[in-house]
Amino acid sequence: MTSSMQLAADLYEAASDLDVERIYVADEEVRRFSLAVRALQRRLGDDAGDSYWRPVLARLRRVRWELATVPLPFSHAAFGLVSSAAFLDERLRECQRVFPDHAPAARELNQALVRLSSGDRDPLGVAVRALSWKDGDSVVVLRDSHHAGAVADWLGRSIGAAVLAAAQLVSPRIYAEAAVIGPASWFPHQVFGAPRARVIRIVQFSWLSDDSLDIGIFAGSTIGARGERASLPAYAGDDQASAVPSHELPPVTDWTAIASGTGGTTDRRPDRPDSVDAYLLLLASEQAVYLEAEEGSRAYIVELGSSKELQMVATRSIQPGAYIVNRVGGEGDYIPAIADSILGGAAPRLRATQRAWKDRLGELINSEGIQTVVSDLRAAGSPRATRANLRRWASEGSIRTEDKTDFQALMKLIGLGADATQIWSEMDLIDQAHLRAGQRVRALLVREILNGDTRDLEERGWQDYQVEEIEGEGALRVARVEARAPETIRIGARQTRQLLAVERDLWQG
Amino acid sequence: MIQRNYTATFGQLLYRGRSRWVPLPEWACFLLHVGARVAGSRAEDGRLVVALSLPVRTFAAALAGASAVVTAFVNRPAVSDGNEHFDYLASLPEGTAISHHRANVVQQGRLVGVETDVDDGIPRVRIRLRSGDRCLPVGLSREIQVIDEPGTLKVTRQKLIRDPEFLSRALPGIDVAALSAKTRLDCVLVGVQHALQEELLARQFGTGEGAGIHEGSLQGIVRARDVTGSKDAYRSAIIPATSEEGDPPVSFSTPHVAIFDGARAFSYWRSRWTESNWLVLLDRGAPSAEEGADAVNQAYATRLRESNALAGVEVPPGVEALAYVERR
């Protein structure tokens, strides 16, 4: 997009004149249900981690979260309350025999859910409709994008407002009014710190507490005086005895379950040579992806905001909100796939050569141990032989060493010394093809994203872009990062940069 | 109160509004103020760090950079022409046509590059002449002149100032010809290269009034290296935020100011330019803002002392400002 002083001036004006107020919504049935979920969690104590209860609690938490964040009638198909009630009914059938002490509370909770699913009330939606709306210049902001489409159809059209998830609120458009659904503490800082509306109304259940709102991000700073209007005091709930702290409701991502369900582990032992440490990311496409955590691992990211930015960054620095690029279908990263297309008929032979020397090196490390191989490499004349470098050279992501001297020493050690020059040249061809593949991907991203219309990408959180060079489905998926595991996961090297399905309750529950 | 008298060196700047030219808004004037304060401050015991969190970063680095460059030009007279000329030669690509002038002999050749001798640690410019390579230290670098092409012996001359009316009105009292003619790295702008270039080149600024508006761009003041595609004398350089393996520009000068435009720029490059004062610009609308704020807060926690560098400057609404001195 073109940089514009006028646009920047508008954004400053919105930030300096922002008006924020809270709108409280009372609903006894939802309050009772939420309190009952809380009570069951407390009652279960350590049993909450039992495999019997984990899926039950995950589903209950997800339902509670959606009821508090999505302004739709409870009978709306998007909530799926009937199927959730059936799911719980099935799961709790054996409860009386397995956990008799907890059975009455669980049954009562399920009945509360059945009652909610049979009603047609829509407390948040009614509150939103009651606000005065300027047709075409207003926006309803949801915490998550999952139900944005349903809310747009049901509510947005009738009040003439756009419906966006918080992460989509990055384009430079400024609305006259916004209704934010849920306590302010559930929303990313930029919703209030870099507002895209002049008036923001926080529409939340009255029994939910909220933290104070402060746009500052520095300790000990000075904020321009009028900008402080974007502050709000904390809210303790309408009835402190039955208030639910808002920080209890956001979904708890079960990283351990997601990791084990996708072939990863947090256990480092035994350290298999074909496994790597990786960052586990959850994407708006409701998929997971692993990115290598080793030093030097990089990936393209797109940041959409007042300006669009495309950068190749270290994987360690990729945070929620950024958009990352992955291959749809097929195995592994998109760069080798495009590089193979560039190499044409020579690709199978060159890749076979690459696999052959990697296999030999892997076998040598397995049989002799990494330290012995490092010592032998040094003796063979490799000046850069270290454990970290050797791991990298042996990994699939590395094509050849930076320096030919190291490569010759490697080849000598694995019995390919006589062919070292030939193999070096062949690896150089692969390396060049990777470089050109990266340039093509960059050109595609510049054309489609930096210079293109990204409204669909922003609204949905992900978008596929066709690439002729990739065999099969031939697409790159650009998807927003929604969450990132707090610790690295050990995963097979071949499983990195692949899109993996994730069960929703593990993430949203 | 809008601070129109943003710095003593700037005249009234306008920007292109929706339908007419309008005076710079309060936040833009503030950024000019901050750029001047960061460039004008010299703490003996440490480095001044000013951190700003903004609702949007657009034009922030370009405005602060413009002010920093002008302030450095006013406050820091050139140490020697040799330093500037050396920096200029260092910025040119390998193979640039040059002439070498010594006594009565002029030879043509090509620039090879800048290198530092491993024995004496002295940086030299290497040139390739028909008679062989020559390595010239800073003091002798003026013997080298850039020429159009070998054979012509015509010293490269380019239009020195692109928007003379705009510049002279934007910077009343400043010798804009001298500002534009000489190279010295006073400021580095670290950020997203294409975005910074676009902001520097945007012809959205003007001076004058009524029908007599003279338009121009901030690049005329910031004079970032290589931005216009020509090899003009420069006063600043853009460093891509995420080129982790890249080196900062080879330069004999230490920039007085380093502007980190965004959290990533700060995360990747804050171990460099430790002798310079820093301006950190964070966009609260960017997902990386909190990461940047964590880094700033961590540094603030171990600060040498608070700084009064922004004393008397009114922080505009929606802007958050922090100033401190940290150990070099």
Side-chain angles (χ1 to χ4, degrees):
Chain A
M1 65 168 279
T2 308
S3 300
S4 158
M5 269 296 288
Q6 181 61 59
L7 191 57
D10 291 344
L11 290 165
Y12 274 93
E13 195 185 314
S16 64
D17 293 342
L18 177 64
D19 249 332
V20 187
E21 66 168 321
R22 285 198 178 96
I23 309 288
Y24 303 106
V25 180
D27 187 282
E28 274 314 303
E29 269 193 51
V30 183
R31 183 202 296 256
R32 273 201 297 274
F33 174 75
S34 298
L35 287 171
V37 175
R38 189 179 195 220
L40 179 66
Q41 276 180 307
R42 289 183 171 185
R43 179 188 183 88
L44 289 174
D46 291 343
D47 287 341
D50 189 277
S51 59
Y52 180 84
W53 287 109
R54 273 167 59 180
V56 171
L57 287 174
R59 180 59 62 94
L60 287 169
R61 282 197 306 263
R62 171 152 78 87
V63 170
R64 180 178 63 170
W65 172 246
E66 290 184 346
L67 290 174
T69 53
V70 183
L72 286 174
F74 298 155
S75 59
H76 196 286
F79 280 133
L81 292 189
V82 174
S83 65
S84 286
F87 169 80
L88 293 174
D89 191 48
E90 172 71 24
R91 297 289 306 190
L92 296 172
R93 198 160 287 166
E94 300 297 310
C95 190
Q96 183 63 45
R97 277 193 291 147
V98 187
F99 290 97
D101 289 350
H102 302 317
R107 249 193 327 270
E108 192 183 324
L109 194 49
N110 201 26
Q111 281 161 5
L113 185 57
V114 170
R115 276 197 301 277
L116 278 172
S117 66
S118 59
D120 206 21
R121 287 173 309 101
D122 176 16
L124 292 174
V126 167
V128 171
R129 284 172 205 271
L131 300 172
S132 63
W133 290 97
K134 290 182 180 164
D135 195 18
D137 201 14
S138 309
V139 61
V140 175
V141 184
L142 306 179
R143 170 63 172 73
D144 299 324
S145 60
H146 190 75
H147 295 305
V151 176
D153 290 343
W154 179 264
L155 177 65
R157 276 189 201 157
S158 63
I159 59 173
V163 176
L164 300 174
Q168 296 167 231
L169 212 59
V170 290
S171 72
R173 157 126 201 226
I174 297 167
Y175 296 89
E177 295 163 321
V180 166
I181 312 299
S185 55
W186 288 351
F187 286 83
H189 193 271
Q190 70 258 25
V191 171
F192 300 95
R196 296 296 189 255
R198 293 190 166 80
V199 176
I200 298 182
R201 297 193 179 97
I202 300 166
V203 181
Q204 66 162 90
F205 282 121
S206 58
W207 40 271
L208 280 167
S209 71
D210 196 10
D211 298 338
S212 60
L213 175 63
D214 179 5
I215 62 163
I217 57 176
F218 296 143
S221 63
T222 306
I223 300 177
R226 273 177 288 147
E228 288 173 350
R229 284 171 59 183
S231 300
L232 269 184
Y235 171 66
D238 55 356
D239 172 10
Q240 291 196 25
S242 63
V244 177
S246 56
H247 64 79
E248 284 187 10
L249 267 71
V252 180
T253 304
D254 191 342
W255 292 108
T256 307
I258 293 173
S260 60
T262 48
T265 175
T266 50
D267 187 0
R268 278 0 184 218
R269 293 164 302 173
D271 189 5
R272 289 168 41 207
D274 60 343
S275 64
V276 294
D277 282 330
Y279 300 113
L280 171 56
L281 308 175
L282 294 175
L283 308 176
S285 52
E286 301 200 344
Q287 292 167 309
V289 68
Y290 290 93
L291 297 179
E292 311 83 359
E294 69 178 1
E295 195 63 32
S297 292
R298 289 148 71 88
Y300 271 122
I301 64 154
V302 177
E303 284 192 352
L304 301 177
S306 51
S307 65
K308 296 176 184 176
E309 299 176 2
L310 168 65
Q311 296 173 309
M312 177 69 89
V313 302
T315 51
R316 68 180 147 76
S317 72
I318 297 176
Q319 297 293 333
Y323 290 75
I324 63 167
V325 184
N326 289 286
R327 178 184 176 187
V328 180
E331 268 194 21
D333 190 13
Y334 51 86
I335 294 287
I338 299 173
D340 283 358
S341 164
I342 292 169
L343 290 167
R349 179 178 56 79
L350 295 172
R351 291 295 185 189
T353 307
Q354 185 184 15
R355 262 195 310 279
W357 78 259
K358 294 269 178 190
D359 287 348
R360 284 191 184 213
L361 182 58
E363 283 163 18
L364 187 67
I365 293 170
N366 281 343
S367 62
E368 302 295 320
I370 194 160
Q371 192 51 54
T372 304
V373 178
V374 168
S375 304
D376 291 349
L377 274 172
R378 284 194 186 140
S382 167
R384 291 163 202 81
T386 61
R387 288 167 73 99
N389 280 345
L390 180 55
R391 269 203 203 95
R392 194 169 66 250
W393 295 338
S395 72
E396 286 206 22
S398 154
I399 296 166
R400 57 164 170 72
T401 59
E402 283 291 308
D403 194 280
K404 198 172 178 179
T405 321
D406 296 308
F407 193 76
Q408 283 169 328
L410 266 179
M411 293 302 108
K412 192 172 159 189
L413 210 62
I414 59 176
L416 295 172
D419 302 322
T421 304
Q422 172 68 19
I423 298 173
W424 173 265
S425 305
E426 292 180 346
M427 294 306 102
D428 200 45
L429 289 174
I430 297 178
D431 198 41
Q432 293 299 320
H434 275 236
L435 277 175
R436 285 168 59 197
Q439 287 162 355
R440 287 192 191 179
V441 170
R442 185 177 175 83
L444 171 104
L445 296 173
V446 167
R447 185 180 70 236
E448 298 289 344
I449 297 178
L450 290 195
N451 299 331
D453 184 346
T454 51
R455 274 175 297 187
D456 286 347
L457 172 62
E458 288 171 45
E459 276 180 31
R460 197 159 55 147
W462 60 276
Q463 181 90 349
D464 288 343
Y465 299 93
Q466 296 302 315
V467 181
E468 286 173 10
E469 288 94 337
I470 302 180
E471 278 183 25
E473 291 181 61
L476 294 181
R477 178 162 294 172
V478 179
R480 189 171 57 236
V481 177
E482 298 285 335
R484 171 182 157 139
E487 291 175 9
T488 56
I489 308 285
R490 201 78 188 155
I491 184 92
R494 287 171 187 270
Q495 282 166 284
T496 60
R497 305 202 182 222
Q498 285 197 50
L499 294 169
L500 305 162
V502 181
E503 194 187 324
R504 235 179 108 211
D505 279 356
L506 296 179
W507 177 10
Q508 303 280 324
Chain B
M1 182 195 74
I2 295 183
Q3 302 161 90
R4 294 280 181 237
N5 57 336
Y6 14 93
T7 75
T9 47
F10 277 83
Q12 177 149 8
L13 280 177
L14 309 172
Y15 77 97
R16 201 188 292 273
R18 283 201 173 77
S19 56
R20 62 193 172 89
W21 291 93
V22 287
L24 285 193
E26 196 174 354
W27 58 269
C29 301
F30 170 76
L31 287 161
L32 289 174
H33 259 303
V34 171
R37 294 290 179 99
V38 174
S41 169
R42 173 52 72 185
E44 290 304 317
D45 53 347
R47 161 180 59 245
L48 169 67
V49 181
V50 173
L52 304 178
S53 92
L54 310 164
V56 61
R57 263 186 5 245
T58 315
F59 284 104
L63 286 161
S67 189
V69 162
V70 174
T71 304
F73 175 74
V74 171
N75 291 358
R76 300 170 67 214
V79 177
S80 82
D81 286 350
N83 289 354
E84 294 169 2
H85 194 65
F86 183 91
D87 284 355
Y88 171 56
L89 293 172
S91 74
L92 300 173
E94 184 181 347
T96 299
I98 53 99
S99 70
H100 177 236
H101 190 131
R102 185 134 211 205
N104 292 330
V105 180
V106 178
Q107 286 191 74
Q108 294 172 4
R110 298 280 175 182
L111 186 75
V112 177
V114 170
E115 57 195 41
T116 303
D117 192 297
V118 287
D119 293 327
D120 60 15
I122 295 173
R124 291 181 172 84
V125 181
R126 180 184 286 269
I127 55 173
R128 187 150 296 156
L129 305 172
R130 207 168 289 168
S131 56
D133 282 9
R134 293 288 308 274
C135 293
L136 303 172
V138 174
L140 297 178
S141 63
R142 291 205 68 83
E143 294 178 358
I144 305 165
Q145 292 296 323
V146 177
I147 58 176
D148 278 346
E149 273 304 314
T152 65
L153 250 192
K154 187 175 135 198
V155 174
T156 297
R157 286 185 200 286
Q158 287 170 326
K159 196 175 173 187
L160 203 56
I161 309 173
R162 286 206 166 68
D163 300 303
E165 284 294 331
F166 167 75
L167 266 190
S168 57
R169 284 166 182 263
L171 303 171
I174 300 285
D175 181 353
V176 291
L179 175 76
S180 308
K182 293 185 178 177
T183 285
R184 185 179 69 188
L185 188 66
D186 282 328
C187 176
V188 287
L189 296 95
V190 191
V192 180
Q193 190 166 18
H194 73 85
L196 285 171
Q197 286 185 352
E198 194 176 303
E199 288 165 22
L200 287 173
L201 294 173
R203 296 182 69 78
Q204 294 182 33
F205 296 87
T207 53
E209 50 191 74
I213 298 289
H214 303 282
E215 71 171 44
S217 69
L218 294 176
Q219 167 66 2
I221 303 170
V222 176
R223 300 196 70 84
R225 198 172 76 166
D226 295 346
V227 163
T228 51
S230 66
K231 294 294 168 191
D232 293 345
Y234 63 85
R235 290 272 163 188
S236 61
I238 294 176
I239 312 294
T242 52
S243 298
E244 289 173 290
E245 74 282 10
D247 291 324
V250 179
S251 160
F252 200 76
S253 328
T254 299
H256 195 52
V257 176
I259 298 177
F260 300 97
D261 190 25
R264 269 208 181 87
F266 189 50
S267 297
Y268 285 160
W269 288 98
R270 68 188 151 130
S271 58
R272 307 286 183 117
W273 301 294
T274 52
E275 296 300 309
S276 312
N277 287 340
W278 290 357
L279 174 59
V280 185
L281 302 169
L282 299 182
D283 182 340
R284 290 197 300 269
S288 53
E290 288 183 36
E291 176 194 341
D294 287 346
V296 168
N297 288 332
Q298 205 172 5
Y300 179 72
T302 56
R303 67 193 177 279
L304 208 53
R305 58 187 160 81
E306 302 276 344
S307 166
N308 61 359
L310 298 182
V313 181
E314 193 180 329
V315 179
V319 173
E320 186 187 13
L322 181 66
Y324 57 93
V325 175
E326 72 178 13
R327 219 176 295 277
R328 282 202 180 93

Short mmCIF file of all heavy atoms in Angstrom, two decimals, chain A residues 22-43:
data_model
loop_
_atom_site.label_atom_id
_atom_site.label_comp_id
_atom_site.label_asym_id
_atom_site.label_seq_id
_atom_site.Cartn_x
_atom_site.Cartn_y
_atom_site.Cartn_z
N ARG A 22 -18.24 0.59 28.88
CA ARG A 22 -18.67 -0.81 29.03
C ARG A 22 -20.19 -0.89 29.01
O ARG A 22 -20.87 -0.06 29.61
CB ARG A 22 -18.18 -1.39 30.36
CG ARG A 22 -16.72 -1.72 30.40
CD ARG A 22 -16.42 -2.69 31.56
NE ARG A 22 -15.01 -3.04 31.59
CZ ARG A 22 -14.10 -2.44 32.34
NH1 ARG A 22 -14.48 -1.47 33.16
NH2 ARG A 22 -12.86 -2.81 32.30
N ILE A 23 -20.72 -1.89 28.32
CA ILE A 23 -22.14 -2.18 28.31
C ILE A 23 -22.30 -3.54 28.99
O ILE A 23 -21.69 -4.52 28.55
CB ILE A 23 -22.70 -2.29 26.86
CG1 ILE A 23 -22.30 -1.07 26.02
CG2 ILE A 23 -24.19 -2.55 26.85
CD1 ILE A 23 -23.01 0.20 26.36
N TYR A 24 -23.09 -3.60 30.07
CA TYR A 24 -23.22 -4.84 30.83
C TYR A 24 -24.49 -5.59 30.43
O TYR A 24 -25.57 -4.99 30.33
CB TYR A 24 -23.24 -4.53 32.33
CG TYR A 24 -22.00 -3.77 32.75
CD1 TYR A 24 -22.06 -2.41 33.05
CD2 TYR A 24 -20.77 -4.40 32.81
CE1 TYR A 24 -20.94 -1.70 33.41
CE2 TYR A 24 -19.63 -3.70 33.17
CZ TYR A 24 -19.72 -2.35 33.46
OH TYR A 24 -18.59 -1.66 33.82
N VAL A 25 -24.36 -6.87 30.22
CA VAL A 25 -25.49 -7.70 29.79
C VAL A 25 -25.74 -8.76 30.88
O VAL A 25 -24.82 -9.50 31.24
CB VAL A 25 -25.17 -8.41 28.45
CG1 VAL A 25 -26.35 -9.27 28.01
CG2 VAL A 25 -24.82 -7.39 27.39
N ALA A 26 -27.00 -8.79 31.38
CA ALA A 26 -27.34 -9.78 32.41
C ALA A 26 -28.03 -10.97 31.75
O ALA A 26 -28.87 -10.80 30.87
CB ALA A 26 -28.25 -9.15 33.45
N ASP A 27 -27.65 -12.17 32.15
CA ASP A 27 -28.37 -13.37 31.68
C ASP A 27 -28.14 -14.47 32.71
O ASP A 27 -27.03 -14.98 32.85
CB ASP A 27 -27.87 -13.82 30.30
CG ASP A 27 -28.73 -14.95 29.76
OD1 ASP A 27 -28.56 -16.11 30.22
OD2 ASP A 27 -29.61 -14.67 28.93
N GLU A 28 -29.21 -14.79 33.43
CA GLU A 28 -29.08 -15.71 34.56
C GLU A 28 -28.72 -17.13 34.13
O GLU A 28 -27.95 -17.81 34.80
CB GLU A 28 -30.39 -15.72 35.37
CG GLU A 28 -30.45 -14.62 36.41
CD GLU A 28 -29.16 -14.51 37.22
OE1 GLU A 28 -28.73 -15.50 37.85
OE2 GLU A 28 -28.55 -13.42 37.21
N GLU A 29 -29.27 -17.58 33.00
CA GLU A 29 -28.98 -18.96 32.59
C GLU A 29 -27.52 -19.16 32.22
O GLU A 29 -26.91 -20.16 32.58
CB GLU A 29 -29.88 -19.36 31.41
CG GLU A 29 -31.18 -20.01 31.87
CD GLU A 29 -31.91 -20.68 30.71
OE1 GLU A 29 -31.28 -21.47 30.00
OE2 GLU A 29 -33.10 -20.39 30.54
N VAL A 30 -26.99 -18.21 31.50
CA VAL A 30 -25.57 -18.32 31.12
C VAL A 30 -24.70 -18.18 32.37
O VAL A 30 -23.70 -18.88 32.53
CB VAL A 30 -25.18 -17.26 30.06
CG1 VAL A 30 -23.73 -17.45 29.64
CG2 VAL A 30 -26.07 -17.36 28.85
N ARG A 31 -25.11 -17.26 33.28
CA ARG A 31 -24.36 -17.11 34.52
C ARG A 31 -24.32 -18.44 35.28
O ARG A 31 -23.27 -18.89 35.72
CB ARG A 31 -25.00 -16.03 35.40
CG ARG A 31 -24.19 -15.78 36.70
CD ARG A 31 -25.04 -15.15 37.80
NE ARG A 31 -25.53 -13.84 37.52
CZ ARG A 31 -25.04 -12.72 38.02
NH1 ARG A 31 -24.03 -12.76 38.84
NH2 ARG A 31 -25.59 -11.57 37.73
N ARG A 32 -25.52 -19.09 35.41
CA ARG A 32 -25.59 -20.34 36.16
C ARG A 32 -24.72 -21.43 35.50
O ARG A 32 -24.02 -22.17 36.17
CB ARG A 32 -27.05 -20.81 36.28
CG ARG A 32 -27.78 -20.20 37.49
CD ARG A 32 -28.98 -21.02 37.87
NE ARG A 32 -29.98 -21.03 36.80
CZ ARG A 32 -30.92 -20.10 36.66
NH1 ARG A 32 -30.99 -19.10 37.51
NH2 ARG A 32 -31.79 -20.17 35.69
N PHE A 33 -24.81 -21.49 34.19
CA PHE A 33 -24.02 -22.49 33.46
C PHE A 33 -22.52 -22.25 33.69
O PHE A 33 -21.75 -23.17 33.99
CB PHE A 33 -24.35 -22.45 31.96
CG PHE A 33 -23.48 -23.35 31.13
CD1 PHE A 33 -23.67 -24.72 31.13
CD2 PHE A 33 -22.46 -22.82 30.36
CE1 PHE A 33 -22.86 -25.56 30.37
CE2 PHE A 33 -21.64 -23.64 29.59
CZ PHE A 33 -21.84 -25.01 29.60
N SER A 34 -22.10 -21.00 33.57
CA SER A 34 -20.68 -20.67 33.73
C SER A 34 -20.19 -20.98 35.14
O SER A 34 -19.08 -21.51 35.32
CB SER A 34 -20.44 -19.20 33.41
OG SER A 34 -20.78 -18.94 32.07
N LEU A 35 -21.02 -20.65 36.11
CA LEU A 35 -20.65 -20.93 37.49
C LEU A 35 -20.59 -22.45 37.73
O LEU A 35 -19.74 -22.94 38.49
CB LEU A 35 -21.64 -20.28 38.46
CG LEU A 35 -21.50 -18.75 38.58
CD1 LEU A 35 -22.67 -18.16 39.38
CD2 LEU A 35 -20.18 -18.38 39.24
N ALA A 36 -21.51 -23.19 37.08
CA ALA A 36 -21.53 -24.64 37.26
C ALA A 36 -20.27 -25.28 36.66
O ALA A 36 -19.72 -26.23 37.23
CB ALA A 36 -22.79 -25.22 36.61
N VAL A 37 -19.81 -24.76 35.53
CA VAL A 37 -18.56 -25.27 34.94
C VAL A 37 -17.41 -25.03 35.90
O VAL A 37 -16.58 -25.90 36.16
CB VAL A 37 -18.27 -24.60 33.57
CG1 VAL A 37 -16.91 -25.04 33.03
CG2 VAL A 37 -19.36 -24.93 32.55
N ARG A 38 -17.41 -23.82 36.45
CA ARG A 38 -16.36 -23.46 37.40
C ARG A 38 -16.39 -24.39 38.62
O ARG A 38 -15.36 -24.88 39.09
CB ARG A 38 -16.60 -22.02 37.82
CG ARG A 38 -15.49 -21.40 38.62
CD ARG A 38 -15.87 -19.98 38.95
NE ARG A 38 -14.72 -19.24 39.40
CZ ARG A 38 -14.75 -18.37 40.39
NH1 ARG A 38 -15.89 -18.12 41.01
NH2 ARG A 38 -13.67 -17.74 40.74
N ALA A 39 -17.62 -24.63 39.11
CA ALA A 39 -17.78 -25.46 40.31
C ALA A 39 -17.32 -26.89 40.03
O ALA A 39 -16.65 -27.52 40.86
CB ALA A 39 -19.24 -25.45 40.76
N LEU A 40 -17.64 -27.41 38.85
CA LEU A 40 -17.23 -28.78 38.53
C LEU A 40 -15.70 -28.88 38.46
O LEU A 40 -15.12 -29.83 38.98
CB LEU A 40 -17.85 -29.22 37.19
CG LEU A 40 -17.47 -30.64 36.75
CD1 LEU A 40 -18.04 -31.70 37.71
CD2 LEU A 40 -17.95 -30.94 35.33
N GLN A 41 -15.09 -27.89 37.84
CA GLN A 41 -13.62 -27.89 37.74
C GLN A 41 -12.99 -27.94 39.13
O GLN A 41 -12.06 -28.69 39.39
CB GLN A 41 -13.13 -26.63 37.02
CG GLN A 41 -13.16 -26.74 35.52
CD GLN A 41 -12.68 -25.47 34.85
OE1 GLN A 41 -13.19 -24.40 35.14
NE2 GLN A 41 -11.72 -25.57 33.97
N ARG A 42 -13.53 -27.12 40.03
CA ARG A 42 -12.98 -27.07 41.39
C ARG A 42 -13.24 -28.38 42.13
O ARG A 42 -12.39 -28.86 42.86
CB ARG A 42 -13.61 -25.91 42.16
CG ARG A 42 -13.11 -24.58 41.64
CD ARG A 42 -13.66 -23.44 42.43
NE ARG A 42 -13.00 -22.21 42.02
CZ ARG A 42 -13.19 -21.04 42.60
NH1 ARG A 42 -14.03 -20.95 43.61
NH2 ARG A 42 -12.56 -19.98 42.18
N ARG A 43 -14.43 -28.90 41.93
CA ARG A 43 -14.82 -30.13 42.61
C ARG A 43 -13.91 -31.29 42.18
O ARG A 43 -13.53 -32.14 42.99
CB ARG A 43 -16.28 -30.42 42.22
CG ARG A 43 -16.85 -31.65 42.78
CD ARG A 43 -18.22 -31.90 42.15
NE ARG A 43 -18.77 -33.06 42.79
CZ ARG A 43 -19.49 -33.03 43.90
NH1 ARG A 43 -19.82 -31.88 44.43
NH2 ARG A 43 -19.90 -34.14 44.47
#
